[in-house]
Amino acid sequence: MLPLGNMSDADQAAFSLELGDDLVEMRDWVHEFAASVIRPAAAEWDEREETPWPVLEEAAKVGLYSLDFYAQQYLEGSGLGIPVAFEELFWGDAGIGLSLAGSSLAAVAVVANGTPEQIGEWCPQMFGGPGEVKLGAFCSSEPEAGSDVGAIRTRATYDAAAGEWVLNGVKTWATNGGIASVHVVVASVDPALGSRGQASFIVPPGTPGLSMGQKFRKHGIRASHTAEVVLSDVRVPGRCVVGGRERLEERLARVREGGRGGEQAAMKTFEASRPGVAAMAVGVARAAAEFATEYARTRVQFGRPIGQNQAVAFTLADMHASVDAARLLTWRAAWMARHGKPFASAEGSMSKLVAGETAVRVTDQAIQILGGNGYTRDYPVERWHRDAKIFTIFEGTSEIQRMIIGRAVTGLDVR
């Protein structure tokens, strides 16, 4: 290996962890919105357990809640646009952050698998605009099918005479479920094929038969709406199967003949979203680490700041190191995804696993540093701790991520 002194300028510039000027400008802009608009509203909307429509409206006015913004970051050349934006939003507040980011998961489901016509028609309707803010919802989980996506029972049948798909079933844990303008629903077309017989369907605004079931009262991320979605003879045009009916029929025919069907739609959506979800967790963990650090500098006990005690300082050191490590894993996965690098060692799952576990641990440590104050709602670390737990559960539990990673690194059918 050449010593650094013998490397050319071109060689030294080939690798960099510095964000480009455009990303820095975007990051600072989103951070300012998070600091000035999201954080001051966070406690109120957590207590109300309602969608923060006024915050969504403010975000829409400045262009932060818009298809254009998310498209720009999704297509950003380094792959870091979405992770950088999500870290700042969730540094502000996870519940409000998920209200702002929730529609993007439904959009990703269409962008990753849909036709150009579907992307152009339906994605704008998931966001709306100032004065007419709208939402999108991605509906995959069911009462009996959470981590086990292959157990989905929601059925889609094709009515050839009407040229329509008919959807029946119940979805659960759907962000924006029942209040979204556009729902993207994962359903089984051929139950005998398991997950390989599934497809995603776009349910347009106002479609009869779709209704909201139970709205969940949650431990954390309470400003984000989570509910059941009930589908009772929901009829959607034939063109509303994501990717098109012709492509679906070709895929099903290959599977029935013993061939490969390609990636299952829901799994492809989750894979594409994992670095973004990891960045959300990094944002929450970073908020807690920063707050606990400032508290340790100013909180005086026994005649000196508590940060001078090794027990506290060492804990803070671990917290900051863990946050940075989680961010680096997240950036690596996002960069790989953007540049078409295969997740040979399940790098996407690694980022989600480490970031989620880090958020839970770091927010717990922040409460410990604040002591009794940290356990009260007068300080935000209590809310951040409640919010953090979801990152070890949704978009694939920590156990599922470990199974995916285990399979990748061993080459064995880990169950």
Side-chain angles (χ1 to χ4, degrees), residues 67 85 141-142 223 270 297 358 401 404:
L67 177 61
S141 294
E142 296 183 4
F270 291 142
R297 289 193 186 108
T358 295
Q401 306 306 329
I404 293 170

Side-chain angles (χ1 to χ4, degrees), residues 282-357:
V282 171
V284 175
R286 181 184 125 212
E290 290 177 356
F291 194 94
T293 301
E294 184 58 28
Y295 185 89
R297 289 193 186 108
T298 57
R299 172 70 168 173
V300 175
Q301 291 287 279
F302 303 105
R304 62 182 181 181
I306 62 172
Q308 285 187 267
N309 298 317
Q310 283 191 2
V312 174
F314 286 7
T315 299
L316 289 170
D318 288 341
M319 292 163 70
H320 283 271
S322 296
V323 171
D324 279 9
R327 182 186 298 109
L328 289 172
L329 281 174
T330 300
W331 283 12
R332 179 184 67 170
W335 178 87
M336 291 177 68
R338 182 69 181 90
H339 291 87
K341 307 290 184 182
F343 286 164
S345 297
E347 287 85 354
S349 289
M350 284 186 182
S351 70
K352 165 56 165 73
L353 170 66
V354 172
E357 299 284 331

Side-chain angles (χ1 to χ4, degrees), residues 166-200:
V166 184
L167 307 179
N168 283 283
V170 177
K171 293 295 181 179
T172 194
W173 310 119
T175 298
N176 299 332
I179 65 172
S181 295
V182 179
H183 292 73
V184 180
V185 178
V186 180
S188 177
V189 178
D190 188 341
L193 300 178
S195 63
R196 297 182 299 169
Q198 296 171 359
S200 294

Side-chain angles (χ1 to χ4, degrees), residues 26-38 40 88 91:
M26 181 274 291
R27 180 198 64 192
D28 294 346
W29 175 61
V30 177
H31 181 82
E32 173 58 27
F33 185 88
S36 62
V37 179
I38 294 177
E88 298 306 326
W91 172 91

